[in-house]
Amino acid sequence: MKYAKKDAKAYARQHMKGIWAAALMPFTEELEVDEDGFRKNIQHWIDDLKIDGFFIAGKQGEFFSMSLDERKRNFELAVKAAGDRASTIMSCSDQNMDVVIDLAKHAQKIGADYIVVHAPVLHFFKEQEQTVYEYYKAIADKVDIGIALWSHPDSGYLLSPELCNRLADIENVVAIKYSVPRPMYAELTRLASDRILISTASEEEWLDNILELGWQLYLCSSPPYLIQTANDLRMREYTDLAFAGEAEKARTVRDSLQPVRDALRKTRPAEKPHSHQKYWQQLLGQVGGRVRPPMLELTEAEKANTRAAFDASGLKL
């Protein structure tokens, strides 16, 4: 651990900032974890794309298709690859509390910076907020590492700003990935930004959230490595301009990326986000690899459509 439990919030405030990306996990033709490919991607994302931190084994990383041992191994690979040049946050999300705690303790033991835990799927509709509060409190009591909450419609409900404000008082709850409508995360910023870092996955809203809400952290999805190359660091550029107070210059750079965003969005089959992003990675020269079942692979026609949009997007290779 790089900090004591009592210092978790202060450590996060000082170190958890900038652009963080949710890592996709490449699988080989035999559907084994491609460890070399994962390491190569991490090195490229740090050295060439200047990404500050990595969200590991989350939904983008297909954690749901991995065994417990594979998830732990994924944590270890990321910590070693990032070294002291980037930070890591490990997704310990699971419906089984024992698995969450086991993964959290492993992340803490191997030197990860933080963990993130998805709000659980609940199979009933009474005392929901108290149940979720007790869920996160129980996890926080078992570990010292800083914890990020994660609220997303996949849980079947959204955490209210008032509940998140209450959870922000827990000693080692340091952040939240709050995938909700903007009025909700703006309200949480008003209520609790003195105790937790608030972020959301939308890259398109990131600049406005720096300028209007005073955010310091993009946490996170795949755009940092899908809309940037070693020769085209426009997300990094507009982020740094915003942090420097150059709002109009930052907006100009942010808006110039719209053709790239459109190319990604318009060619992505709704039921195939992982295989589409992995194919896009391959077009960028990164290691994409296969997806594991139940995720679906792209057809040749879908690849051709994506390739044409990629070539016309204006991204500088």
Side-chain angles (χ1 to χ4, degrees), residues 213-227:
L213 301 179
W215 284 11
Q216 68 177 50
L217 172 68
Y218 174 74
L219 181 78
C220 55
S221 189
S222 53
Y225 56 85
L226 295 183
I227 65 173

Side-chain angles (χ1 to χ4, degrees), residues 149-174:
L149 316 172
W150 184 8
S151 180
H152 189 281
D154 287 1
S155 296
Y157 61 93
L158 298 175
L159 303 185
S160 70
E162 292 74 20
L163 174 59
C164 297
N165 182 41
R166 190 175 166 210
L167 288 163
D169 286 335
I170 296 174
E171 184 177 38
N172 55 329
V173 168
V174 301

Side-chain angles (χ1 to χ4, degrees), residues 80-97:
K80 188 170 183 180
D84 59 2
R85 298 184 303 147
S87 301
T88 55
I89 184 167
M90 306 304 181
S91 173
C92 301
S93 302
D94 203 278
Q95 279 300 101
N96 184 303
M97 175 74 86

Side-chain angles (χ1 to χ4, degrees), residues 32 40 47 76 178 184 218 240 258 266 274 284 306 312:
E32 299 295 326
K40 183 178 177 183
D47 295 340
E76 294 162 7
Y178 203 26
M184 290 181 69
Y218 174 74
D240 290 343
Q258 197 56 44
K266 292 177 180 177
H274 293 78
L284 288 165
T306 301

Side-chain angles (χ1 to χ4, degrees), residues 97-232:
M97 175 74 86
D98 290 340
V99 172
V100 174
I101 299 298
D102 188 10
L103 286 169
K105 289 184 175 179
H106 187 70
Q108 181 173 297
K109 182 178 71 175
I110 65 172
D113 293 276
Y114 316 97
I115 64 166
V116 57
V117 182
H118 200 295
V121 175
L122 299 177
H123 301 284
F124 50 89
F125 299 98
K126 294 182 179 179
E127 299 294 340
Q128 177 178 298
E129 296 222 337
Q130 186 60 27
T131 301
V132 174
Y133 179 84
E134 296 295 342
Y135 175 79
Y136 279 115
K137 183 68 167 59
I139 296 167
D141 286 345
K142 295 281 188 181
V143 295
D144 295 336
I145 194 169
I147 300 170
L149 316 172
W150 184 8
S151 180
H152 189 281
D154 287 1
S155 296
Y157 61 93
L158 298 175
L159 303 185
S160 70
E162 292 74 20
L163 174 59
C164 297
N165 182 41
R166 190 175 166 210
L167 288 163
D169 286 335
I170 296 174
E171 184 177 38
N172 55 329
V173 168
V174 301
I176 181 170
K177 182 177 178 179
Y178 203 26
S179 303
V180 299
R182 197 164 196 264
M184 290 181 69
Y185 67 66
E187 174 63 5
L188 180 59
T189 302
R190 186 185 69 80
L191 292 171
S193 60
D194 60 327
R195 283 158 289 140
I196 59 170
L197 301 172
I198 302 155
S199 189
T200 193
S202 172
E203 180 272 326
E204 292 180 72
E205 297 171 19
W206 166 228
L207 176 58
D208 290 338
N209 293 334
I210 300 172
L211 297 174
E212 297 171 10
L213 301 179
W215 284 11
Q216 68 177 50
L217 172 68
Y218 174 74
L219 181 78
C220 55
S221 189
S222 53
Y225 56 85
L226 295 183
I227 65 173
Q228 298 196 104
T229 73
N231 298 311
D232 194 340

